[in-house]
Every structure is written in structure tokens, then in C-alpha cells.
Amino acid sequence: DQQVKQNSPSLSVQEGRISILNCDYTNSMFDYFLWYKKYPAEGPTFLISISSIKDKNEDGRFTVFLNKSAKHLSLHIVPSQPGDSAVYFCAASENSGGSNYKLTFGKGTLLTVNP
Amino acid sequence: KAGVTQTPRYLIKTRGQQVTLSCSPISGHRSVSWYQQTPGQGLQFLFEYFSETQRNKGNFPGRFSGRQFSNSRSEMNVSTLELGDSALYLCASSLGQTPLNEQYFGPGTRLTVT
């Protein structure tokens, strides 16, 4: 059973526009969420995270929104740049900040930003 | 500072064989986690080692095992390989007592089982 779901396998946007990547989760014990970006032949790179005590976290062009009641989070990239083209993974964990390093990942969304 | 390194980068094995993959964490990092990435299942957590002890474990069969050495380098072993074990195996390192976002992934080992 997939506890973290990214229902869009791919997304294509124009340079300069907003990219919105979505993620849903089913495990109510998840309390820490992360987004990773992955280029081919490289490991995932951390982008941004959010704790369940917040509903928004911003870092430059990247903003993550968390809706706990809907068990939904989204990553907004504004403005989108061609270099943002990559696979984006949503991940979740229980007991954030503790010794639980077990991440549950979604299957990823391939973002393509067209010049 | 050097990143996480994984060896080998590519590997081809036959069904029934066993394989050992290696991960060298960033200097000073004491936690190493392993993940399996397949097209059908995405990234799945295998296990995490901290100071030579397995601290967390995912839902994989006992054919998958790992260990960590005193220098924090880690190995994972898969015995009696099956076709479904073909995947990209990623390891990630961290100091081990920091937030999850301070976890750095290696480039992975691509294992093909024929």
C-alpha cells in the first residue's frame, strides 16, 4: 500500500511560470515532509522540508504547503527555470527530529520546464 | 569536502548469486541509510545504520542485509538474487543526530539481475 502518493508522473510548464507538484499521504503518523530533486545518474538532493506544526515553508523560489486535514502537500516553484527540469520526490517521516531516519517516498514526478 | 561515494556504480549478476554493495559516507557522518529504487515501487527504505548498529529497518526480506564498519563505511548484501532485485541502490549519509533534511545521497549502484 503506497503511503505517499504522487499521482502525476509528469508535468510540463513554460519557463517563468509556476510549477505545482502535488503529494498525498495516508499515514496520519507522518509529521515531517521533505521534497527532493533528482537528476539522471545522480542521487536525490534535498530541496525543502516542512514540519506538521506548520502549513507553509518558503525558501527562495520554492514553497511547500501542507494541508494536514486533507493529508496533502504541494511544492510550488516560482518562477520555473529550465534547470529545474528533474524528477521531484515527496518523502515523509514519523518522529521528525528524532532518531527515525526512515523516509517513505512517493514515486516521483518528472518536471519539464520548457524555454 | 567529498560527497557520498558508492561502489561499484554498475553491476550485472545472475539469478541465485549474491552481491555486496559499498557506501562511503561523507567524512564525519555516522549514519548511513540504504534505499532501493525501482520504476514500479519508487524509492523504498531498506535500513539505517548508526555507529555500527542497525537503528531502523524497512520491510524487505532477510535476503537483504547490511553492516557498518567502525569508519562508518557501510555495505549491503543481497543473497540469492532474484530478477526483481534489479534496481538502483542508493545510500545516504548524515551526522545521525540532525534533522532529516541534512541527509546526503550518493549517486547509486545500478544492479541488473539476469
Side-chain angles (χ1 to χ4, degrees), chain A residues 33-103:
Chain A
F33 304 89
L34 307 91
W35 284 93
Y36 284 83
K37 178 167 77 170
K38 186 178 186 298
Y39 294 118
E42 295 183 13
T45 302
F46 168 76
L47 261 181
I48 191 168
S49 62
I50 188 166
S51 165
S52 60
I53 61 173
K54 294 186 174 182
D55 54 18
K56 177 182 172 181
N57 189 25
E58 209 168 342
D59 184 2
R61 296 186 298 115
F62 302 92
T63 303
V64 57
F65 295 92
L66 174 62
N67 182 334
K68 280 180 60 181
S69 60
K71 293 190 177 68
H72 176 83
L73 62 155
S74 60
L75 174 67
H76 292 210
I77 306 174
V78 184
S80 301
Q81 299 173 353
D84 295 331
S85 297
V87 177
Y88 288 78
F89 290 98
C90 170
S93 175
E94 302 174 29
N95 302 321
S96 62
S99 62
N100 188 347
Y101 274 65
K102 176 180 177 180
L103 289 176

Side-chain angles (χ1 to χ4, degrees), chain A residues 2 32 34 36 38 41-46 49 89 93-107, chain B residues 9 31 33 35 37 40-43 45 48 55-58 88 90 94 96-101 103 105-107:
Chain A
Q2 196 83 18
Y32 196 73
L34 307 91
Y36 284 83
K38 186 178 186 298
E42 295 183 13
T45 302
F46 168 76
S49 62
F89 290 98
S93 175
E94 302 174 29
N95 302 321
S96 62
S99 62
N100 188 347
Y101 274 65
K102 176 180 177 180
L103 289 176
T104 302
F105 281 83
K107 293 188 180 181
Chain B
R9 291 294 309 276
S31 166
S33 298
Y35 291 85
Q37 185 184 9
Q41 297 299 321
L43 272 155
F45 175 81
E48 184 236 353
R55 192 164 61 169
N56 288 289
K57 189 177 187 303
L88 179 67
L90 293 157
S94 74
Q97 292 169 319
T98 52
L100 282 162
N101 55 336
Q103 191 173 174
F105 281 83

Side-chain angles (χ1 to χ4, degrees), chain B residues 29-113:
Chain B
H29 283 192
R30 295 165 63 192
S31 166
V32 174
S33 298
W34 288 90
Y35 291 85
Q36 179 196 66
Q37 185 184 9
T38 58
Q41 297 299 321
L43 272 155
Q44 292 186 285
F45 175 81
L46 280 153
F47 28 66
E48 184 236 353
Y49 286 86
F50 177 76
S51 294
E52 301 179 66
T53 301
Q54 188 180 88
R55 192 164 61 169
N56 288 289
K57 189 177 187 303
N59 299 321
F60 277 81
R63 300 186 296 107
F64 292 81
S65 62
R67 59 178 176 169
Q68 187 180 34
F69 302 95
S70 57
N71 62 358
S72 293
R73 189 178 70 86
S74 177
E75 288 181 347
M76 68 161 280
N77 183 275
V78 188
S79 62
T80 321
L81 283 165
E82 300 176 0
L83 295 179
D85 297 333
S86 294
L88 179 67
Y89 290 87
L90 293 157
C91 79
S93 80
S94 74
L95 290 170
Q97 292 169 319
T98 52
L100 282 162
N101 55 336
E102 295 176 23
Q103 191 173 174
Y104 301 86
F105 281 83
T109 294
R110 172 73 63 185
L111 171 65
T112 302
V113 182

